Structures are given as C-alpha cells and as structure tokens.
C-alpha cells in the first residue's frame, strides 16, 4: 500500500525544478515585453519629433518665401539664420543648436517708431526676446544658405534646412529647400 501513496504526489525535487523552469520562462517573457514597450516608446518619441520638425520646416519655408535673408552663420555646433519677413513685418531668427538637439525661434514685430522696415532693418538689430524652442530631440541640424548677391541682379537664391531625427542607427532626415524671392530688391 505504501507504493500507492508515493505515486499520488510530486517530490520536493520535482516541485523545485518546475518552479525554476516556470521562473525562467516568466523572466524571459517579461524581458521581451519590456523591450517591446521600450521600442514602442522610442518610436513614438521619434515620430512626435519628426512631426514637429516637419511642421517647423513648413512654417519656416512659408516665412522664407516672402523674406529677405539678412544674416546667416554656420559654424561649430550652432547655425543661425536671420531674415525680414515682409508678409508679417517681422524680423525672425532661427537657431539650430546641435549640442542641445534643438531648433529655437525668436522674432520682433516692427512698429512705426522703429527704423525703416526694409531688408536691412534686422541687420544690427539686437533681439531682446528669448528663444522659444520649436523642435527638440534632433541629432543633427543645419541651415545652408546660398544667396546670389551681385548688386544689379535681384537678390535671389535658396535656403536649405536639414534636420536629422533619431539615433545614429535609426535616423531620419527631414529637409526643405526654399527659393528666395527678395521682394525688396524685386520691387514687389
């Protein structure tokens, strides 16, 4: 009769082995789920940054089409572009800071007490406004300005802005190129 009693249950060794196998399977499943959640969050962040960068590039392109580029500087980790937007009557400045991974903007609306609102109005103007960050999470950004400047011809050219979003292994570039139509020189 004693043999019958032994076959009805599990031994302590069998229970410990079953718990160990179950624990290993559970830990593996948790690791896979955690990695999937982390990838999902990273993808959502990159997607959000990409959408903001596209929005900013579209807004910047709209502003640049009716503007005169006054000054641009590309050097080190910071690129800036300053221009006067005739449609808004504003001096606008964008700054791309590679070390911070941001693009920031500031502007100044001219009033009747300000100097003439021509293409040189922004030149030498000292912005007192703080920069407002319009895009963050960038790994690389650049403004490239190519403007033809010989005096008798119209002041035309192009501005290219490139933003790279994401990590080096999964980076996405967003770019826009705007043809300049300097309304001050063209007399429009």
């Amino acid at each position: 009769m004693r043999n019958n009693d032994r076959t009805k249950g599990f031994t302590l060794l069998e229970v410990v082995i079953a718990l160990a196998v179950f624990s290993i399977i559970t830990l593996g499943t948790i690791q896979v789920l955690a990695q999937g959640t982390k990838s999902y969050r990273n993808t959502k962040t990159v997607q959000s940054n990409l959408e903001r960068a596209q929005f900013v590039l579209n807004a910047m392109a709209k502003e640049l089409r009716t503007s005169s580029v006054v000054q641009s500087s590309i050097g080190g980790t910071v690129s800036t572009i300053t221009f006067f937007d005739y449609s808004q009557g504003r001096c606008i400045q964008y700054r791309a800071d590679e070390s911070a991974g941001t693009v920031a903007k500031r502007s100044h609306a001219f009033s009747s007490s300000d100097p003439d609102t021509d293409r040189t109005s922004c030149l030498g103007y000292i912005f007192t406004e703080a920069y407002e960050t319009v895009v963050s999470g960038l790994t690389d950004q650049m403004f490239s300005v190519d403007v033809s400047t010989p005096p008798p011809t119209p002041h035309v050219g192009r501005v290219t802005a490139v933003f790279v979003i994401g990590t080096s292994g999964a980076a996405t570039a967003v770019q826009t190129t705007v043809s300049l139509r300097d309304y001050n020189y063209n007399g429009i």
Side-chain angles (χ1 to χ4, degrees), residues 64 68-75 78-84 92-96 119 122-124 142-147 149 155 158-160 180:
L64 281 166
S68 294
V69 174
V70 175
Q71 185 177 14
S72 66
S73 70
I74 301 167
V78 178
S79 299
T80 61
I81 185 167
T82 306
F83 54 91
F84 182 78
I92 299 172
Q93 186 176 60
Y94 282 93
R95 179 183 70 184
R119 69 179 240 60
C122 298
L123 194 59
M142 178 185 70
F143 299 126
S144 171
V145 180
D146 178 20
V147 180
T149 54
H155 191 70
R158 69 179 179 268
V159 174
T160 300
L180 298 174

Side-chain angles (χ1 to χ4, degrees), residues 4-162:
N4 249 354
D5 290 338
R6 287 182 118 203
T7 58
K8 290 184 180 181
F10 297 105
T11 65
L12 179 61
L13 183 60
E14 291 170 331
V15 170
V16 168
I17 290 173
L19 283 173
V21 169
F22 179 73
S23 296
I24 290 170
I25 291 171
T26 302
L27 286 174
T29 304
I30 288 171
Q31 287 290 337
V32 167
L33 290 174
Q35 189 64 29
T37 303
K38 182 179 176 184
S39 289
Y40 175 76
R41 280 192 211 128
N42 288 344
T43 301
K44 289 298 279 182
T45 301
V46 169
Q47 179 184 0
S48 175
N49 290 341
L50 181 63
E51 288 171 359
R52 282 197 310 267
Q54 287 174 330
F55 178 79
V56 167
L57 282 175
N58 288 337
M60 187 186 305
K62 184 178 178 183
E63 292 168 343
L64 281 166
R65 276 190 201 98
T66 59
S67 300
S68 294
V69 174
V70 175
Q71 185 177 14
S72 66
S73 70
I74 301 167
T77 61
V78 178
S79 299
T80 61
I81 185 167
T82 306
F83 54 91
F84 182 78
D85 185 355
Y86 293 97
S87 66
Q88 299 180 44
R90 295 180 162 272
C91 240
I92 299 172
Q93 186 176 60
Y94 282 93
R95 179 183 70 184
D97 187 347
E98 187 177 333
S99 61
T102 61
V103 174
K105 173 186 176 181
R106 62 183 175 180
S107 65
H108 171 71
F110 286 94
S111 66
S112 58
S113 64
D114 284 321
D116 292 343
T117 54
D118 63 8
R119 69 179 240 60
T120 60
S121 295
C122 298
L123 194 59
Y125 174 76
I126 298 177
F127 286 89
T128 56
E129 300 81 11
Y131 280 105
E132 174 189 345
T133 301
V134 290
V135 181
S136 59
L138 304 177
T139 55
D140 191 17
Q141 55 273 338
M142 178 185 70
F143 299 126
S144 171
V145 180
D146 178 20
V147 180
S148 63
T149 54
T153 61
H155 191 70
V156 295
R158 69 179 179 268
V159 174
T160 300
V162 180

